Amino acid sequence: MKKVLVATEKPFAPAAVAQIKEVLDKANYELVLLEKYTDNSEFLKAVEDVDALIVRSDKVTKEVVDAAKNLKIVVRAGAGYDNLDLEACTAKNVVAMNTPGQNSNAVAELALGMMVMIARGNYNGKAGTELRGKKLGIHAYGNVGYYVAEIAKGFGMEIYAFDPFVDNEEIKKANITPVDSAEELYSTCQYVSLHIPSNEKTKQSIGFDLLNKMPKNATLVNTARKEVIHEDELLKVFAEREDFSYVSDIAPDCKNEIADKFEGRFFFTPKKMGAQTAEANINAGGAAANQIIDFIENGNTTFKVN
Ligand code: 3PG
């Protein structure tokens, strides 16, 4: 019987675990569950004899891959796979996949939720502002960017997008104005919502020069990764522009300095929770289980990222 380890430091909703179990049961695969582990040694032990692995933002390092003697496939139940050591996977002939799109709506709803929250002064009782008629820039028009734009249309926002990997015609078809550079996006839009992945090219790529271009009462919304922000330069923008706010799904490393000096101009989730809905967990977890079975039984490598 094939064994599938679900290793989630931040657990899926119970309904999603039930969904994964149902999918695996049908294929006669065994579910091994490791949730809320506090030490990596628990992960290393649990992965030893499994054939497949499902994780969320859990770090699948070379050490993990080396410890997993029977591992054939690891699926990151989610979009960003910057937590997987792809080289280590490839070296051990382990297929790595993600489940693109499965949790995107949840992340997009949080992005809009945080925008409303900051526009209303973090619900401090004073008069805030509205989103209707404001310009929103989508930085990378992938699955999450798509849903952010769809929801923002309901708010009556004017939407722009920059994505060098997406055809401008596709963006236009969605009633969004494509722009040709990040600089143009930031200088046009009061709100910018980040959806770029974290990789060697994008790490620390959002800094003073871009943020300082934003129009008055600028808000940066980050449901992507904290690593794409240049934090020293973020602090400089906060210091130089009293009208700048930052909302982010997972706090930056410099959160204490921001909290001490820039009260009311930020909101950070205590733990990354963009994808923390029952629906997103069921979709991403269920897709991961199905992809594992389809790979092991039929060799299907759709969604392979290494
Ligand atoms: C993703 O890349 O899919 C999101 O950041 C969700 O991450 P999580 O599964 O750790 O919540």
Side-chain angles (χ1 to χ4, degrees), residues 49-74:
D49 64 340
V50 300
D51 299 276
L53 171 63
I54 297 175
V55 291
R56 296 187 65 179
S57 289
D58 309 77
K59 288 201 166 48
V60 180
T61 58
K62 181 174 185 309
E63 199 184 11
V64 171
V65 177
D66 287 345
K69 303 286 175 239
N70 296 335
L71 193 64
K72 294 154 192 71
I73 175 167
V74 50

Side-chain angles (χ1 to χ4, degrees), residues 49 126 157 185 204 267:
D49 64 340
K126 296 181 188 159
M157 298 187 87
L185 190 78
Q204 298 199 331
F267 171 75

Side-chain angles (χ1 to χ4, degrees), residues 27-289:
N28 212 18
Y29 283 31
E30 184 186 340
L31 167 67
V32 183
L33 196 55
L34 175 70
E35 292 182 320
K36 291 189 195 168
Y37 58 95
T38 50
D39 196 290
N40 204 43
S41 59
E42 295 172 62
F43 190 7
L44 294 176
K45 177 102 198 79
V47 85
E48 254 172 21
D49 64 340
V50 300
D51 299 276
L53 171 63
I54 297 175
V55 291
R56 296 187 65 179
S57 289
D58 309 77
K59 288 201 166 48
V60 180
T61 58
K62 181 174 185 309
E63 199 184 11
V64 171
V65 177
D66 287 345
K69 303 286 175 239
N70 296 335
L71 193 64
K72 294 154 192 71
I73 175 167
V74 50
V75 183
R76 189 282 191 246
Y81 47 88
D82 46 310
N83 54 319
L84 309 182
D85 185 333
L86 295 185
E87 252 177 53
C89 289
T90 306
K92 286 278 161 124
N93 230 357
V94 172
V95 165
M97 293 187 185
N98 64 349
T99 65
Q102 300 291 348
N103 59 17
S104 308
N105 181 64
V107 178
E109 287 190 12
L110 182 73
L112 268 295
M114 292 196 297
M115 281 164 62
V116 172
M117 189 169 174
I118 200 76
R120 295 303 182 97
N122 288 334
Y123 308 128
N124 61 3
K126 296 181 188 159
T129 54
E130 300 180 18
L131 299 181
R132 178 166 294 276
K134 305 295 185 321
K135 291 182 175 145
L136 167 65
I138 312 277
H139 192 166
Y141 187 67
N143 290 310
V144 184
Y146 165 83
Y147 280 108
V148 167
E150 288 305 299
I151 301 168
K153 285 177 198 169
F155 276 89
M157 298 187 87
E158 204 182 303
I159 305 163
Y160 296 77
F162 170 62
D163 193 327
F165 303 104
V166 177
D167 191 344
N168 279 352
E169 290 310 308
E170 192 188 318
I171 295 176
K172 279 187 202 155
K173 259 191 229 147
N175 283 328
I176 299 168
T177 307
V179 297
D180 292 328
S181 66
E183 285 71 18
E184 193 181 342
L185 190 78
Y186 285 71
S187 25
T188 307
C189 299
Q190 181 185 342
Y191 287 85
V192 171
S193 190
L194 272 173
H195 304 293
I196 54 176
S198 171
N199 56 41
E200 286 321 307
K201 277 200 183 137
T202 61
K203 273 183 191 159
Q204 298 199 331
S205 64
I206 309 301
F208 185 83
D209 287 348
L210 276 180
L211 299 175
N212 199 37
K213 286 191 167 50
M214 291 178 76
K216 205 164 163 32
N217 298 326
T219 294
L220 179 68
V221 184
N222 186 1
T223 53
R225 291 288 182 271
K226 68 174 180 174
E227 289 81 4
V228 302
I229 305 291
H230 194 300
E231 293 199 8
D232 288 345
E233 295 186 15
L234 174 73
L235 287 168
K236 187 172 171 210
V237 181
F238 261 110
E240 291 192 11
R241 286 191 53 171
E242 274 180 20
D243 65 326
F244 174 82
S245 299
Y246 179 47
V247 289
S248 179
D249 184 18
I250 199 170
D253 295 335
C254 62
K255 68 171 181 198
N256 290 341
E257 201 170 337
I258 293 177
D260 286 350
K261 295 184 183 161
F262 309 114
E263 202 196 329
R265 292 165 52 195
F266 66 91
F267 171 75
F268 306 132
T269 53
K271 205 173 178 80
K272 184 148 69 100
M273 55 176 297
Q276 272 300 58
T277 65
E279 293 89 339
N281 290 174
I282 290 169
N283 292 343

